[in-house]
Amino acid sequence: MHYRITRLKHSEENQSNVIAYLESVTEEIESIEGLLSITLISISNTETLGLSQYESEEKMVNANPVQQKVLSGAAELLSGLPEVENGDVLWKWIR
């Protein structure tokens, strides 16, 4: 498993708008081959952390064009450029 971690900064008012925007582009997101899930975590009213789980790093890299299109569509809702990191799962615990 490979994860892409995206930190989004936005105004407090735009947090719900970011969610609404992502829901409006669900078909594009669903078209990404190898994408298993996306989870958004509210760090604060002005910061959201996105965890995107992929089958592999290769699938994540191949998804870059769609990822960039989706993120660029959200640009007017953000307070700055998204901060992006990625890596393989090192350890996992599941109940």
Coordinates of all heavy atoms in Angstrom, one line a residue:
M1 N 0.8 -1.2 0.0 CA 0.0 0.0 0.0 C 0.9 1.2 0.0 O 1.9 1.3 0.6 CB -0.9 0.0 1.2 CG -1.9 -1.0 1.4 SD -3.2 -0.8 0.1 CE -3.7 -2.5 0.1
H2 N 0.4 2.3 -0.7 CA 1.1 3.5 -0.8 C 0.1 4.7 -0.4 O -1.0 4.6 -0.8 CB 1.7 3.7 -2.2 CG 2.7 4.7 -2.3 ND1 4.0 4.5 -1.9 CD2 2.7 6.0 -2.7 CE1 4.7 5.6 -2.1 NE2 3.9 6.5 -2.5
Y3 N 0.6 5.6 0.3 CA -0.3 6.8 0.7 C 0.2 8.1 0.1 O 1.5 8.3 0.1 CB -0.4 6.9 2.2 CG -1.4 5.9 2.8 CD1 -1.0 4.6 3.1 CD2 -2.7 6.3 3.1 CE1 -1.9 3.7 3.7 CE2 -3.6 5.4 3.6 CZ -3.2 4.1 3.9 OH -4.1 3.3 4.5
R4 N -0.7 8.9 -0.3 CA -0.4 10.3 -0.6 C -1.0 11.1 0.5 O -2.2 11.0 0.8 CB -0.9 10.7 -1.9 CG -0.7 12.1 -2.3 CD -1.3 12.5 -3.6 NE -1.1 13.9 -3.8 CZ -1.3 14.6 -4.9 NH1 -1.8 13.9 -5.9 NH2 -1.1 15.8 -5.0
I5 N -0.2 12.0 1.1 CA -0.7 12.8 2.2 C -0.7 14.3 1.7 O 0.3 14.8 1.3 CB 0.2 12.7 3.5 CG1 0.2 11.2 3.9 CG2 -0.3 13.6 4.6 CD1 1.6 10.8 4.4
T6 N -1.9 14.9 1.7 CA -2.0 16.2 1.2 C -2.6 17.1 2.3 O -3.6 16.9 2.9 CB -3.0 16.3 0.0 OG1 -2.5 15.3 -0.9 CG2 -3.0 17.7 -0.6
R7 N -1.8 18.2 2.6 CA -2.2 19.2 3.7 C -2.8 20.4 2.9 O -2.2 21.0 2.1 CB -1.0 19.6 4.5 CG -1.4 20.5 5.7 CD -0.2 20.8 6.5 NE 0.4 19.6 7.1 CZ 0.0 19.1 8.3 NH1 -0.9 19.7 9.0 NH2 0.6 18.0 8.8
L8 N -4.1 20.7 3.2 CA -4.8 21.8 2.6 C -5.1 22.8 3.7 O -5.5 22.6 4.8 CB -6.2 21.3 2.1 CG -6.1 20.1 1.1 CD1 -7.5 19.6 0.8 CD2 -5.4 20.5 -0.2
K9 N -4.8 24.1 3.3 CA -5.1 25.2 4.2 C -6.2 26.0 3.5 O -6.1 26.3 2.3 CB -3.8 26.0 4.4 CG -2.8 25.3 5.2 CD -1.6 26.1 5.5 CE -0.6 25.1 6.3 NZ 0.6 25.8 6.6
H10 N -7.1 26.5 4.3 CA -8.3 27.2 3.8 C -8.9 28.0 4.9 O -8.6 27.9 6.1 CB -9.4 26.1 3.3 CG -9.6 25.0 4.3 ND1 -10.3 25.2 5.5 CD2 -9.1 23.7 4.3 CE1 -10.3 24.1 6.2 NE2 -9.6 23.2 5.5
S11 N -9.8 28.9 4.5 CA -10.5 29.7 5.5 C -11.5 28.8 6.2 O -11.9 27.8 5.7 CB -11.2 30.9 4.9 OG -12.3 30.4 4.1
E12 N -11.9 29.2 7.4 CA -12.9 28.5 8.2 C -14.2 28.3 7.4 O -14.8 27.2 7.3 CB -13.2 29.2 9.5 CG -14.1 28.4 10.4 CD -14.2 29.0 11.8 OE1 -13.3 29.9 12.1 OE2 -15.1 28.7 12.5
E13 N -14.6 29.4 6.6 CA -15.8 29.3 5.8 C -15.7 28.3 4.7 O -16.7 27.8 4.2 CB -16.1 30.7 5.3 CG -16.4 31.8 6.3 CD -15.1 32.3 7.0 OE1 -14.0 32.3 6.3 OE2 -15.2 32.7 8.1
N14 N -14.5 28.1 4.2 CA -14.3 27.3 3.0 C -14.2 25.8 3.3 O -14.2 25.0 2.4 CB -13.1 27.7 2.1 CG -13.6 28.8 1.2 OD1 -14.7 28.9 0.8 ND2 -12.6 29.6 0.7
Q15 N -14.1 25.4 4.6 CA -13.9 24.0 4.9 C -15.1 23.1 4.3 O -14.9 22.1 3.6 CB -13.8 23.7 6.4 CG -13.5 22.3 6.7 CD -13.3 22.1 8.2 OE1 -14.0 22.6 9.0 NE2 -12.2 21.4 8.5
S16 N -16.3 23.6 4.5 CA -17.4 22.8 3.9 C -17.5 23.0 2.4 O -18.0 22.0 1.7 CB -18.8 23.3 4.5 OG -19.0 24.7 4.2
N17 N -17.0 24.1 1.8 CA -16.9 24.2 0.4 C -15.9 23.3 -0.3 O -16.2 22.8 -1.4 CB -16.6 25.7 0.0 CG -17.7 26.6 0.4 OD1 -18.8 26.3 0.5 ND2 -17.3 27.9 0.7
V18 N -14.8 23.0 0.4 CA -13.9 22.0 -0.1 C -14.5 20.6 -0.2 O -14.4 19.9 -1.2 CB -12.6 21.9 0.8 CG1 -11.7 20.7 0.5 CG2 -11.8 23.2 0.7
I19 N -15.3 20.2 0.9 CA -16.0 19.0 0.8 C -17.0 18.9 -0.3 O -17.1 18.0 -1.0 CB -16.7 18.7 2.2 CG1 -15.8 18.8 3.4 CG2 -17.5 17.4 2.2 CD1 -14.8 17.7 3.6
A20 N -17.8 20.0 -0.4 CA -18.8 20.1 -1.5 C -18.1 20.0 -2.9 O -18.6 19.3 -3.8 CB -19.6 21.4 -1.4
Y21 N -17.0 20.6 -3.0 CA -16.3 20.5 -4.3 C -15.8 19.1 -4.6 O -16.1 18.6 -5.7 CB -15.0 21.5 -4.3 CG -14.1 21.2 -5.5 CD1 -14.5 21.5 -6.8 CD2 -13.0 20.5 -5.3 CE1 -13.7 21.2 -7.9 CE2 -12.2 20.1 -6.4 CZ -12.6 20.5 -7.7 OH -11.8 20.2 -8.8
L22 N -15.3 18.4 -3.6 CA -14.8 17.0 -3.8 C -16.0 16.1 -4.2 O -15.9 15.2 -5.0 CB -14.1 16.5 -2.6 CG -12.7 17.2 -2.4 CD1 -12.1 16.8 -1.1 CD2 -11.7 16.8 -3.5
E23 N -17.1 16.4 -3.5 CA -18.3 15.6 -3.8 C -18.8 15.8 -5.3 O -19.3 14.9 -5.9 CB -19.4 15.9 -2.8 CG -19.1 15.3 -1.5 CD -20.1 15.6 -0.4 OE1 -21.0 16.5 -0.6 OE2 -20.0 15.0 0.7
S24 N -18.5 17.0 -5.8 CA -18.9 17.3 -7.1 C -18.1 16.7 -8.2 O -18.4 16.6 -9.4 CB -19.0 18.9 -7.3 OG -17.7 19.4 -7.5
V25 N -16.9 16.3 -7.8 CA -15.9 15.7 -8.8 C -15.7 14.2 -8.5 O -14.7 13.6 -8.9 CB -14.6 16.4 -8.9 CG1 -14.8 17.8 -9.4 CG2 -13.9 16.4 -7.5
T26 N -16.7 13.6 -7.8 CA -16.6 12.2 -7.5 C -16.4 11.3 -8.7 O -15.6 10.3 -8.6 CB -17.9 11.7 -6.7 OG1 -18.0 12.5 -5.5 CG2 -17.8 10.3 -6.3
E27 N -17.0 11.5 -9.8 CA -16.8 10.7 -11.0 C -15.3 10.7 -11.4 O -14.8 9.7 -11.8 CB -17.7 11.1 -12.1 CG -19.1 10.7 -11.9 CD -20.0 11.0 -13.1 OE1 -19.5 11.1 -14.2 OE2 -21.2 11.1 -12.8
E28 N -14.7 11.9 -11.4 CA -13.3 12.0 -11.8 C -12.4 11.2 -10.8 O -11.5 10.5 -11.2 CB -12.8 13.4 -11.8 CG -13.4 14.1 -13.0 CD -12.9 15.6 -13.1 OE1 -11.8 15.8 -13.5 OE2 -13.7 16.5 -12.7
I29 N -12.7 11.3 -9.5 CA -12.0 10.6 -8.5 C -12.1 9.1 -8.7 O -11.2 8.4 -8.6 CB -12.4 11.1 -7.1 CG1 -12.0 12.5 -6.8 CG2 -11.8 10.2 -6.0 CD1 -12.6 13.2 -5.6
E30 N -13.4 8.7 -8.9 CA -13.6 7.2 -9.1 C -12.9 6.7 -10.3 O -12.6 5.5 -10.4 CB -15.1 7.0 -9.2 CG -15.9 7.1 -7.9 CD -17.4 7.0 -8.0 OE1 -17.9 7.0 -9.2 OE2 -18.0 6.8 -7.0
S31 N -12.5 7.5 -11.3 CA -11.9 7.0 -12.5 C -10.4 6.8 -12.3 O -9.7 6.2 -13.1 CB -12.0 8.1 -13.6 OG -11.2 9.2 -13.4
I32 N -9.9 7.1 -11.1 CA -8.4 6.9 -10.9 C -8.1 5.5 -10.6 O -8.6 4.9 -9.5 CB -7.9 7.8 -9.7 CG1 -8.2 9.3 -10.0 CG2 -6.5 7.5 -9.4 CD1 -7.9 10.3 -8.9
E33 N -7.4 4.8 -11.5 CA -7.1 3.4 -11.3 C -6.1 3.2 -10.2 O -5.1 4.0 -10.1 CB -6.4 2.9 -12.6 CG -6.2 1.4 -12.6 CD -5.6 0.9 -13.9 OE1 -5.7 1.6 -14.9 OE2 -4.9 -0.2 -13.8
G34 N -6.4 2.3 -9.3 CA -5.5 2.0 -8.2 C -5.8 2.8 -6.9 O -5.2 2.5 -5.9
L35 N -6.7 3.8 -7.0 CA -7.0 4.6 -5.8 C -8.0 3.7 -5.0 O -9.1 3.4 -5.5 CB -7.6 5.9 -6.2 CG -8.1 6.8 -5.1 CD1 -7.0 7.2 -4.1 CD2 -8.8 8.0 -5.6
L36 N -7.7 3.5 -3.7 CA -8.5 2.7 -2.9 C -9.4 3.5 -2.0 O -10.6 3.1 -1.7 CB -7.7 1.7 -2.0 CG -6.8 0.8 -2.8 CD1 -5.9 0.0 -1.9 CD2 -7.6 -0.1 -3.7
S37 N -8.9 4.6 -1.5 CA -9.7 5.4 -0.6 C -9.1 6.8 -0.4 O -7.9 7.0 -0.7 CB -9.9 4.8 0.8 OG -8.6 4.8 1.5
I38 N -10.0 7.7 0.0 CA -9.5 9.1 0.4 C -10.2 9.4 1.7 O -11.4 9.2 1.8 CB -9.9 10.2 -0.7 CG1 -9.3 9.9 -2.0 CG2 -9.5 11.5 -0.1 CD1 -9.7 10.8 -3.1
T39 N -9.4 9.8 2.7 CA -10.0 10.2 4.0 C -9.5 11.6 4.3 O -8.3 11.9 4.1 CB -9.4 9.3 5.1 OG1 -9.8 7.9 4.8 CG2 -10.0 9.6 6.4
L40 N -10.4 12.5 4.6 CA -10.1 13.8 5.0 C -10.2 13.9 6.5 O -11.2 13.5 7.1 CB -11.0 14.9 4.4 CG -10.9 15.0 2.9 CD1 -11.9 16.1 2.4 CD2 -9.5 15.3 2.4
I41 N -9.2 14.6 7.1 CA -9.1 14.7 8.6 C -9.0 16.2 8.9 O -8.2 16.9 8.3 CB -7.9 14.0 9.2 CG1 -8.0 12.5 8.9 CG2 -7.8 14.3 10.7 CD1 -6.7 11.8 9.1
S42 N -10.0 16.7 9.7 CA -10.0 18.1 10.0 C -9.0 18.3 11.2 O -9.2 17.9 12.3 CB -11.4 18.5 10.5 OG -11.4 19.9 10.9
I43 N -7.8 19.0 10.8 CA -6.8 19.3 11.8 C -7.2 20.5 12.7 O -7.0 20.5 13.9 CB -5.4 19.5 11.1 CG1 -5.0 18.4 10.3 CG2 -4.4 19.9 12.1 CD1 -4.8 17.1 11.0
S44 N -7.9 21.4 12.0 CA -8.5 22.6 12.6 C -9.5 23.1 11.7 O -9.7 22.6 10.6 CB -7.4 23.7 12.9 OG -6.9 24.2 11.7
N45 N -10.1 24.2 12.0 CA -11.1 24.8 11.1 C -10.5 25.4 9.9 O -11.3 25.7 8.9 CB -11.9 25.9 11.9 CG -12.8 25.4 12.9 OD1 -13.2 24.2 12.9 ND2 -13.1 26.2 13.9
T46 N -9.2 25.5 9.8 CA -8.6 26.1 8.7 C -7.5 25.2 8.0 O -6.8 25.6 7.1 CB -7.9 27.4 9.0 OG1 -6.9 27.2 10.0 CG2 -8.8 28.5 9.5
E47 N -7.5 23.9 8.5 CA -6.5 23.0 7.9 C -7.1 21.6 7.9 O -7.7 21.1 8.8 CB -5.2 23.0 8.8 CG -4.0 22.4 8.1 CD -2.8 22.7 8.9 OE1 -2.8 23.4 9.9 OE2 -1.7 22.2 8.4
T48 N -6.9 21.0 6.7 CA -7.4 19.6 6.5 C -6.3 18.7 5.9 O -5.6 19.2 5.1 CB -8.6 19.7 5.5 OG1 -9.7 20.5 6.0 CG2 -9.2 18.3 5.2
L49 N -6.2 17.5 6.4 CA -5.2 16.6 6.0 C -6.0 15.5 5.2 O -6.9 14.9 5.6 CB -4.6 15.9 7.2 CG -3.3 15.1 6.9 CD1 -2.2 16.0 6.4 CD2 -2.9 14.5 8.2
G50 N -5.5 15.3 3.9 CA -6.1 14.2 3.1 C -5.2 13.0 3.0 O -4.0 13.2 2.7
L51 N -5.7 11.9 3.2 CA -4.9 10.6 3.1 C -5.5 9.8 2.0 O -6.7 9.4 2.0 CB -5.0 9.8 4.4 CG -4.6 10.5 5.7 CD1 -4.8 9.6 6.9 CD2 -3.1 10.8 5.6
S52 N -4.8 9.7 0.9 CA -5.2 8.9 -0.3 C -4.4 7.6 -0.3 O -3.2 7.6 -0.4 CB -4.9 9.7 -1.6 OG -5.6 11.0 -1.5
Q53 N -5.2 6.5 -0.3 CA -4.6 5.2 -0.3 C -4.6 4.6 -1.7 O -5.6 4.6 -2.4 CB -5.3 4.2 0.7 CG -4.7 2.9 0.8 CD -5.5 2.0 1.7 OE1 -6.7 2.2 1.9 NE2 -4.9 0.9 2.2
Y54 N -3.4 4.1 -2.2 CA -3.3 3.5 -3.5 C -2.7 2.1 -3.4 O -2.1 1.8 -2.4 CB -2.3 4.4 -4.3 CG -2.8 5.7 -4.7 CD1 -2.7 6.8 -3.9 CD2 -3.4 5.9 -5.9 CE1 -3.1 8.0 -4.2 CE2 -3.9 7.1 -6.3 CZ -3.8 8.2 -5.5 OH -4.3 9.4 -5.8
E55 N -3.0 1.3 -4.4 CA -2.4 0.0 -4.5 C -0.9 0.0 -4.5 O -0.3 -0.9 -4.0 CB -3.0 -0.7 -5.7 CG -4.4 -1.0 -5.7 CD -5.0 -1.5 -7.0 OE1 -4.2 -1.7 -8.0 OE2 -6.2 -1.8 -7.1
S56 N -0.3 1.0 -5.2 CA 1.1 1.1 -5.3 C 1.6 2.5 -5.6 O 0.7 3.3 -6.0 CB 1.6 0.2 -6.4 OG 1.2 0.7 -7.7
E57 N 2.9 2.8 -5.4 CA 3.4 4.1 -5.8 C 3.2 4.3 -7.3 O 2.9 5.4 -7.7 CB 4.9 4.2 -5.4 CG 5.5 5.5 -5.7 CD 6.9 5.7 -5.2 OE1 7.5 4.7 -4.9 OE2 7.4 6.8 -5.2
E58 N 3.4 3.3 -8.1 CA 3.2 3.5 -9.6 C 1.8 3.9 -9.9 O 1.6 4.8 -10.7 CB 3.5 2.1 -10.3 CG 3.3 2.2 -11.7 CD 3.5 0.8 -12.4 OE1 3.6 -0.2 -11.7 OE2 3.6 0.8 -13.7
K59 N 0.8 3.4 -9.3 CA -0.6 3.8 -9.5 C -0.8 5.2 -9.1 O -1.5 6.0 -9.7 CB -1.6 2.9 -8.8 CG -1.5 1.4 -9.2 CD -2.3 1.2 -10.4 CE -2.3 -0.3 -10.6 NZ -3.2 -0.7 -11.7
M60 N -0.2 5.6 -8.0 CA -0.3 7.0 -7.5 C 0.4 8.0 -8.5 O -0.2 9.0 -8.9 CB 0.4 7.2 -6.2 CG 0.2 8.6 -5.6 SD 1.5 9.0 -4.4 CE 2.9 9.2 -5.4
V61 N 1.6 7.6 -9.0 CA 2.2 8.5 -10.0 C 1.4 8.6 -11.3 O 1.3 9.6 -11.9 CB 3.7 7.9 -10.3 CG1 4.3 8.6 -11.5 CG2 4.5 8.1 -9.0
N62 N 0.8 7.4 -11.7 CA 0.0 7.5 -12.9 C -1.2 8.3 -12.8 O -1.8 8.8 -13.8 CB -0.4 6.0 -13.3 CG 0.8 5.2 -13.8 OD1 1.9 5.8 -14.2 ND2 0.7 3.9 -13.8
A63 N -1.7 8.5 -11.5 CA -2.9 9.3 -11.3 C -2.6 10.8 -11.2 O -3.5 11.6 -11.1 CB -3.5 8.8 -9.9
N64 N -1.4 11.2 -11.3 CA -1.0 12.6 -11.1 C -1.8 13.6 -12.0 O -2.2 14.6 -11.5 CB 0.5 12.8 -11.3 CG 1.3 12.5 -10.1 OD1 0.7 12.6 -9.0 ND2 2.6 12.3 -10.2
P65 N -2.0 13.3 -13.3 CA -2.8 14.2 -14.1 C -4.2 14.5 -13.5 O -4.7 15.6 -13.5 CB -2.9 13.6 -15.5 CG -1.7 12.7 -15.5 CD -1.5 12.2 -14.1
V66 N -4.9 13.4 -13.1 CA -6.3 13.6 -12.5 C -6.2 14.3 -11.2 O -7.0 15.2 -10.9 CB -7.0 12.3 -12.4 CG1 -8.4 12.5 -11.8 CG2 -7.1 11.6 -13.8
Q67 N -5.2 13.9 -10.4 CA -5.0 14.6 -9.1 C -4.8 16.1 -9.2 O -5.4 16.9 -8.5 CB -3.8 14.0 -8.3 CG -3.9 12.6 -7.9 CD -2.6 12.0 -7.4 OE1 -1.5 12.6 -7.6 NE2 -2.7 10.8 -6.9
Q68 N -3.9 16.5 -10.2 CA -3.6 17.9 -10.4 C -4.9 18.6 -10.9 O -5.1 19.7 -10.5 CB -2.5 18.0 -11.4 CG -1.2 17.6 -10.9 CD -0.8 18.2 -9.5 OE1 -0.9 19.4 -9.4 NE2 -0.4 17.4 -8.6
K69 N -5.7 18.0 -11.8 CA -6.9 18.6 -12.3 C -7.9 18.8 -11.1 O -8.5 19.9 -11.0 CB -7.5 17.7 -13.3 CG -8.8 18.3 -13.9 CD -9.3 17.3 -15.0 CE -10.6 17.9 -15.6 NZ -11.3 17.0 -16.5
V70 N -8.0 17.8 -10.2 CA -8.9 18.0 -9.1 C -8.4 19.1 -8.2 O -9.2 19.9 -7.7 CB -9.1 16.6 -8.4 CG1 -9.8 16.8 -7.0 CG2 -9.9 15.6 -9.3
L71 N -7.2 19.1 -7.8 CA -6.6 20.1 -6.9 C -6.7 21.5 -7.5 O -7.0 22.4 -6.8 CB -5.2 19.7 -6.5 CG -5.0 18.7 -5.4 CD1 -3.5 18.4 -5.2 CD2 -5.7 19.1 -4.1
S72 N -6.4 21.6 -8.8 CA -6.5 22.9 -9.4 C -7.9 23.5 -9.4 O -8.1 24.7 -9.3 CB -5.9 22.9 -10.8 OG -6.7 22.2 -11.7
G73 N -8.9 22.6 -9.5 CA -10.3 23.0 -9.4 C -10.7 23.6 -8.0 O -11.6 24.3 -7.9
A74 N -9.9 23.2 -7.0 CA -10.2 23.6 -5.7 C -9.3 24.8 -5.3 O -9.5 25.4 -4.2 CB -9.9 22.5 -4.7
A75 N -8.5 25.3 -6.2 CA -7.5 26.4 -5.8 C -8.2 27.6 -5.2 O -7.6 28.2 -4.3 CB -6.7 26.7 -7.1
E76 N -9.3 28.0 -5.8 CA -9.9 29.3 -5.2 C -10.4 29.1 -3.8 O -10.7 30.1 -3.1 CB -11.0 29.7 -6.2 CG -12.2 28.7 -6.2 CD -13.3 29.2 -7.2 OE1 -12.9 29.8 -8.2 OE2 -14.5 28.9 -7.0
L77 N -10.6 27.8 -3.4 CA -11.0 27.6 -2.0 C -9.9 27.5 -1.0 O -10.2 27.5 0.2 CB -11.9 26.3 -2.0 CG -13.1 26.2 -2.9 CD1 -13.6 24.8 -2.9 CD2 -14.1 27.2 -2.5
L78 N -8.7 27.4 -1.5 CA -7.5 27.2 -0.6 C -6.8 28.5 -0.3 O -6.8 29.4 -1.1 CB -6.6 26.2 -1.3 CG -7.2 24.8 -1.6 CD1 -6.2 23.9 -2.3 CD2 -7.8 24.2 -0.4
S79 N -6.1 28.5 0.8 CA -5.3 29.7 1.2 C -3.9 29.6 0.8 O -3.1 30.6 1.0 CB -5.3 29.8 2.8 OG -6.7 29.9 3.2
G80 N -3.5 28.6 0.1 CA -2.1 28.4 -0.4 C -2.0 27.1 -1.1 O -3.0 26.4 -1.3
L81 N -0.8 26.9 -1.6 CA -0.6 25.6 -2.3 C -0.7 24.4 -1.4 O -0.2 24.5 -0.2 CB 0.8 25.6 -3.0 CG 1.0 26.7 -4.1 CD1 2.5 26.7 -4.6 CD2 0.1 26.4 -5.3
P82 N -1.2 23.3 -1.8 CA -1.3 22.1 -1.0 C 0.1 21.6 -0.8 O 1.0 21.7 -1.6 CB -2.1 21.1 -1.8 CG -2.8 21.9 -2.8 CD -2.0 23.1 -3.1
E83 N 0.4 21.1 0.4 CA 1.7 20.4 0.7 C 1.4 18.9 0.6 O 0.5 18.4 1.2 CB 2.1 20.7 2.2 CG 2.3 22.2 2.4 CD 2.5 22.5 3.9 OE1 3.0 21.6 4.6 OE2 2.2 23.7 4.3
V84 N 2.3 18.3 -0.3 CA 2.1 16.9 -0.6 C 3.3 16.0 -0.3 O 4.4 16.4 -0.6 CB 1.7 16.7 -2.1 CG1 1.5 15.3 -2.5 CG2 0.5 17.5 -2.5
E85 N 3.1 14.9 0.4 CA 4.1 13.9 0.6 C 3.5 12.5 0.3 O 2.3 12.4 0.2 CB 4.5 13.9 2.1 CG 5.1 15.3 2.5 CD 5.5 15.2 4.0 OE1 6.6 14.8 4.3 OE2 4.7 15.7 4.8
N86 N 4.4 11.5 0.2 CA 3.9 10.2 0.0 C 4.8 9.2 0.5 O 6.0 9.5 0.7 CB 3.6 10.0 -1.5 CG 4.8 9.9 -2.4 OD1 5.4 8.9 -2.5 ND2 5.2 11.0 -2.9
G87 N 4.3 8.0 0.7 CA 5.2 6.9 1.2 C 4.5 5.6 1.3 O 3.2 5.5 1.3
D88 N 5.3 4.5 1.4 CA 4.7 3.2 1.6 C 4.3 2.9 3.1 O 4.9 3.5 4.0 CB 5.7 2.1 1.2 CG 5.9 2.0 -0.3 OD1 4.9 2.2 -1.0 OD2 7.1 1.8 -0.7
V89 N 3.4 2.0 3.2 CA 3.0 1.7 4.6 C 4.1 0.9 5.3 O 4.6 -0.1 4.7 CB 1.7 0.8 4.6 CG1 1.4 0.2 5.9 CG2 0.5 1.6 4.0
L90 N 4.5 1.4 6.4 CA 5.6 0.7 7.2 C 5.1 -0.3 8.2 O 5.6 -1.3 8.4 CB 6.4 1.8 7.9 CG 7.6 1.4 8.6 CD1 8.6 0.7 7.7 CD2 8.3 2.6 9.3
W91 N 4.0 0.1 8.8 CA 3.3 -0.7 9.8 C 1.9 -0.4 9.9 O 1.5 0.8 9.7 CB 4.0 -0.5 11.2 CG 3.5 -1.4 12.3 CD1 3.9 -2.6 12.6 CD2 2.6 -1.0 13.3 NE1 3.3 -3.1 13.7 CE2 2.4 -2.1 14.1 CE3 1.8 0.1 13.6 CZ2 1.6 -2.2 15.2 CZ3 0.9 0.1 14.7 CH2 0.8 -1.0 15.5
K92 N 1.0 -1.4 10.2 CA -0.4 -1.1 10.2 C -1.0 -2.1 11.3 O -0.6 -3.2 11.4 CB -1.0 -1.4 8.9 CG -2.5 -1.1 8.8 CD -2.9 -1.3 7.3 CE -4.3 -0.9 7.1 NZ -4.7 -1.0 5.7
W93 N -1.9 -1.5 12.1 CA -2.6 -2.3 13.1 C -4.1 -2.2 12.8 O -4.6 -1.1 12.5 CB -2.3 -1.8 14.5 CG -3.0 -2.6 15.5 CD1 -2.6 -3.7 16.1 CD2 -4.3 -2.3 16.1 NE1 -3.5 -4.2 17.0 CE2 -4.6 -3.3 17.0 CE3 -5.3 -1.3 15.9 CZ2 -5.8 -3.4 17.8 CZ3 -6.5 -1.4 16.6 CH2 -6.7 -2.4 17.6
I94 N -4.8 -3.3 12.7 CA -6.3 -3.3 12.5 C -6.9 -4.2 13.5 O -6.5 -5.3 13.7 CB -6.6 -3.8 11.0 CG1 -5.9 -2.9 10.0 CG2 -8.1 -3.9 10.8 CD1 -6.1 -3.5 8.6
R95 N -8.0 -3.7 14.0 CA -8.8 -4.6 14.9 C -9.7 -5.5 14.1 O -10.3 -5.2 13.2 CB -9.7 -3.7 15.8 CG -10.4 -4.6 16.9 CD -11.2 -3.8 17.9 NE -10.3 -2.9 18.7 CZ -9.6 -3.3 19.8 NH1 -9.7 -4.5 20.2 NH2 -8.9 -2.4 20.4

